[in-house]
Amino acid sequence: MKIGLYFGSFNPIHIGHLIIANFIAHNTNVNQVWFIVSPQNPLKTSKSLLNEYHRLYLVQLAIENNLKLKVSDVEFKLPKPSYTIDTLTYLTEKYPTYEFLIIVGSDSYQNISRWKNGILLLKNFQFIVYNRPGFIIDVQDSNATILDAPFLDISATMIRGFIKYKKSVQYLLPENVRHEIEINNYYK
């Protein structure tokens, strides 16, 4: 089984994440896309992160009726900060019959040299790279597939700011996620 791994803080998960994951799940050769909720990304500060279990639950809510999408807390059990190479080592040992592919935006793909064992990842794993405006990549590596997936110029940072300043986030988040954030006063 081919599994596309979509790593992120998902702080919070939003429509942009879901569009990309769903597009990849239905327009590539992966059987499922797994959202890997990262408790702490080594390249980001953790001061604005909602508790990882709350973020995991919000992803569960967002994808609850889509059988091609799954959420994983695998990085919750691994040392922090979370490194992709460590997660993939764990997953390939746990699921030896699965083939894992890494889903990233072209902006992240450009920074692969900053990742722990980034060259090893490029050598040993397939990448599905979705283009992001302003981050053009010229891939001559057979381990990367470039996609022109639908893209919305929204971010979790923008959404957190809207919530903090009491602006509407309707249509930027799935309605059940927006409701959960609202009733729990997340990001205020």
Side-chain angles (χ1 to χ4, degrees), residues 114-147:
R114 293 179 54 207
W115 295 20
K116 179 182 176 184
N117 296 334
I119 302 305
L120 187 64
L121 286 168
L122 287 170
K123 181 180 173 189
N124 293 320
F125 293 94
Q126 293 282 319
F127 279 75
I128 298 174
V129 183
Y130 58 92
N131 280 317
R132 295 194 65 176
F135 298 94
I136 305 303
I137 56 173
D138 179 27
V139 175
Q140 303 189 5
D141 181 359
S142 62
N143 278 354
T145 301
I146 309 301
L147 295 178

Side-chain angles (χ1 to χ4, degrees), residues 103-120:
I103 300 168
V104 295
S106 54
D107 55 335
S108 293
Y109 191 79
Q110 283 184 345
N111 291 322
I112 203 95
S113 63
R114 293 179 54 207
W115 295 20
K116 179 182 176 184
N117 296 334
I119 302 305
L120 187 64

Side-chain angles (χ1 to χ4, degrees), residues 1-3 31 34 90-101:
M1 178 153 33
K2 288 189 176 192
I3 306 295
N31 300 98
W34 292 3
Y90 176 83
L91 287 172
T92 53
E93 288 174 6
K94 185 171 181 178
Y95 302 101
T97 61
Y98 287 17
E99 180 182 347
F100 294 103
L101 296 86

